[in-house]
């Protein structure tokens, strides 16, 4: 697999140089490529972005408004690169982040430029410093962009305001209170573009990490808006937005997704060995019987409560099976879970617990002892 940092190497420098020379009559292509290439092999991806921005700053007009005109004029002549190159869009990344670094004092110039350039490489990183420094000004632009004909601009609204965007500056005010972004998500939830709707779902998934009940409430409101005849596009957003809550076994999310609100089951959980050595596996069998409901849609998960260094336990939820269970029907589910060293978890000896969850609600549990040797 090609390293992402290689998206900013000689081919990208050549494309940047060609674009700039098409706008600046006195542009020195050879010098620009040489300066971009200097020391580039030792730099990682975001270091390369910063390095190229510094080179751009030496070759673009010192006045930001003049530099903005140059960048805007690049858009119609931009070479999008070889379609077989998965990293071809990275070439435009420094151009767009240049706006954030050198245009932060000029929002009325920089924000329209960001809109113009975001189809070259999504500007969700570049817009975030402006959102933090000029929240009211940005809101005026973002509300207008929700109605833009270009899907890249509409997606920028949702992606750029994500509270916990990977690789991006965290928008801490929205982490604390995501309310200001909800107007954008509501506007874009049924967007004709899957590209945009996926961003809306990811944005909501970000919010769910800090405000799970708010996300469930938002999604319920959307369903009620359509009187339970929710369009497939919106339901897809809801399903994708709540994926972390489902994985965590958050009980209120299951009814939202069409699963039984209050499961009524009888269960028997049997574990093969009450003592497990590190490196072995925990094998268990679950018998599940439907009781007083004619038909139940169930997400069956299991949580293992791992012992921590201080002797307390912390639960990790794992997926088991989705089932439809009729009244008096019994099903058997067997599972083997390896208890082996992994880089993301340190094990400690002691009494652990496995707990079975039906739509996020505990229905049975058993203890087992983990020995380290």
């Amino acid at each position: 697999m090609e390293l992402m940092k290689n998206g900013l190497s000689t081919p990208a420098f050549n494309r940047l140089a060609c674009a700039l020379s098409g706008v600046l009559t006195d542009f020195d292509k050879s010098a620009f490529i040489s300066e971009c290439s200097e020391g580039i092999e030792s730099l990682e991806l975001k270091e390369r972005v910063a390095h190229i921005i510094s080179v751009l700053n030496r070759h673009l007009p010192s006045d930001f408004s003049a530099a903005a005109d140059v960048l805007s004029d690049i858009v119609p002549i931009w070479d999008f690169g070889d379609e077989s190159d998965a990293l071809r869009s990275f070439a435009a990344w420094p151009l767009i982040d240049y706006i954030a670094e050198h245009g932060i004092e000029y929002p009325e110039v920089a924000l329209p430029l960001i809109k113009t350039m975001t189809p070259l490489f999504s500007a969700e990183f570049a817009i975030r410093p402006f959102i933090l420094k000029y929240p009211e000004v940005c809101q005026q632009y973002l509300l207008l962009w929700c109605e833009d004909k270009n899907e890249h601009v509409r997606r920028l609204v949702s992606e750029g305001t994500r509270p916990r965007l990977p690789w991006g500056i965290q928008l801490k005010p929205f982490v604390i209170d995501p309310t200001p972004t909800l107007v954008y998500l509501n506007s874009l939830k049924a967007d004709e573009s899957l590209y945009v709707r996926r961003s809306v779902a990811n944005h909501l998934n970000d919010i769910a990490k800090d405000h799970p009940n708010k996300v469930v409430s938002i999604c319920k409101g959307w369903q009620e808006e359509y009187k339970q005849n929710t369009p497939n596009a919106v339901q897809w957003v809801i399903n994708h937005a709540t994926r972390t809550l489902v994985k965590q076994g958050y009980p209120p999310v299951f009814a939202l997704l069409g699963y039984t609100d209050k499961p009524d089951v009888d269960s028997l959980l049997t574990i093969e060995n009450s003592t497990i050595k590190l490196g072995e596996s925990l094998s268990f069998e679950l018998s599940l019987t439907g009781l007083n409901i004619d038909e139940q849609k169930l997400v069956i998960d299991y949580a293992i409560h791992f012992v921590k260094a201080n002797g307390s336990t912390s639960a990790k939820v794992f997926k088991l099976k989705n089932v439809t269970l009729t009244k008096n029907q019994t099903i058997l589910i067997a599972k083997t879970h390896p208890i082996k060293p992994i880089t993301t978890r340190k094990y400690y000896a002691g009494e652990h617990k496995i707990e079975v969850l039906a739509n996020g609600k505990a229905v049975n549990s058993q203890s087992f002892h983990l020995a380290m040797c």
Side-chain angles (χ1 to χ4, degrees):
M1 182 180 293
E2 182 78 5
L3 295 174
M4 284 193 290
K5 66 180 181 179
N6 291 337
L8 288 172
S9 55
T10 301
F13 306 154
N14 288 333
R15 287 166 57 203
L16 283 166
C18 287
L20 289 164
S21 64
V23 177
L24 292 168
T25 55
D26 58 348
F27 182 73
D28 189 336
K29 290 176 62 175
S30 296
F32 178 83
I33 294 171
S34 176
E35 291 174 39
C36 286
S37 302
E38 186 176 353
I40 199 70
E41 291 301 323
S42 65
L43 302 179
E44 297 303 321
L45 177 57
K46 295 193 79 172
E47 293 174 324
R48 294 188 183 202
V49 175
H51 169 69
I52 298 166
I53 289 173
S54 68
V55 176
L56 284 167
N57 193 45
R58 293 195 291 272
H59 287 264
L60 287 170
S62 57
D63 176 72
F64 180 73
S65 293
D69 288 340
V70 172
L71 295 179
S72 181
D73 288 345
I74 281 175
V75 175
I77 63 170
W78 180 250
D79 173 12
F80 283 88
D82 186 347
E83 290 187 2
S84 65
D85 179 7
L87 305 176
R88 62 195 176 110
S89 66
F90 281 23
W93 187 350
L95 293 174
I96 294 174
D97 274 20
Y98 172 91
I99 304 170
E101 185 165 330
H102 294 281
I104 192 64
E105 301 300 329
Y106 312 96
E108 299 294 352
V109 176
L111 290 168
L113 180 60
I114 282 176
K115 175 196 170 186
T116 298
M117 299 199 70
T118 195
L120 306 190
F121 180 85
S122 183
E124 67 245 31
F125 304 133
I127 199 172
R128 297 169 83 78
F130 292 93
I131 292 171
L132 290 172
K133 188 166 186 175
Y134 310 104
E136 293 84 7
V137 173
C138 286
Q139 184 181 54
Q140 294 174 18
Y141 281 98
L142 292 166
L143 286 172
L144 290 174
W145 294 352
C146 284
E147 306 299 327
D148 197 86
K149 64 181 181 181
N150 190 304
E151 66 174 355
H152 295 278
V153 176
R154 301 195 306 275
R155 178 184 179 274
L156 175 59
V157 176
S158 175
E159 200 71 5
T161 56
R162 280 181 62 181
R164 295 182 176 274
L165 179 70
W167 290 13
I169 300 169
Q170 188 179 105
L171 298 180
K172 291 185 179 179
F174 296 162
V175 171
I176 296 169
D177 179 12
T179 303
T181 73
L182 301 185
V183 63
Y184 313 134
L185 304 187
N186 189 61
S187 177
L188 298 170
K189 66 180 182 296
D191 195 276
E192 64 183 12
S193 167
L194 176 60
Y195 183 53
V196 175
R197 297 198 307 273
R198 188 182 302 278
S199 176
V200 172
N202 288 337
H203 187 137
L204 271 178
N205 191 56
D206 273 8
I207 295 175
K209 295 171 184 176
D210 301 288
H211 307 279
N213 194 53
K214 181 178 285 290
V215 169
V216 171
S217 178
I218 291 166
C219 293
K220 281 183 179 178
W222 289 354
Q223 290 179 334
E224 291 168 1
E225 176 184 341
Y226 296 102
K227 296 180 172 54
Q228 302 304 316
N229 190 24
T230 309
N232 290 338
V234 177
Q235 189 60 50
W236 183 93
V237 171
I238 291 171
N239 293 348
H240 198 62
T242 55
R243 63 191 185 277
T244 295
L245 298 181
V246 170
K247 185 177 181 181
Q248 292 172 343
Y250 184 63
V253 78
F254 291 97
L256 178 75
L257 301 178
Y259 295 97
T260 302
D261 186 22
K262 297 178 180 180
D264 189 8
V265 297
D266 189 24
S267 63
L268 177 65
L269 176 63
T270 306
I271 58 175
E272 186 174 290
N273 295 306
S274 59
T275 298
I276 307 293
K277 294 181 180 179
L278 183 62
E280 296 180 341
S281 294
L282 173 69
S283 296
F284 64 92
E285 186 175 85
L286 172 68
S287 170
L288 204 62
T289 302
L291 296 180
N292 299 310
I293 302 175
D294 288 340
E295 185 176 272
Q296 302 182 64
K297 291 185 66 177
L298 305 174
V299 176
I300 308 301
D301 300 326
Y302 64 99
I304 297 181
H305 295 251
F306 293 99
V307 173
K308 300 196 297 184
N310 63 5
S312 65
T313 60
S314 176
K316 169 70 174 176
V317 177
F318 301 91
K319 308 313 293 180
L320 189 53
K321 193 171 185 178
N322 291 12
V323 301
T324 298
L325 192 63
T326 57
K327 187 176 180 179
N328 298 324
Q329 179 188 6
T330 297
I331 60 171
L332 295 176
I333 305 173
K335 177 70 177 180
T336 296
H337 184 101
I339 308 290
K340 61 182 180 182
I342 54 176
T343 57
T344 55
R345 177 175 296 113
K346 184 173 177 61
Y347 292 95
Y348 297 92
E351 185 172 286
H352 292 53
K353 183 173 72 172
I354 178 172
E355 184 176 47
V356 175
L357 308 171
N359 294 353
K361 299 176 182 179
V363 295
N364 211 319
S365 65
Q366 292 286 344
S367 296
F368 66 95
H369 184 82
L370 177 64
M372 302 308 290
C373 60

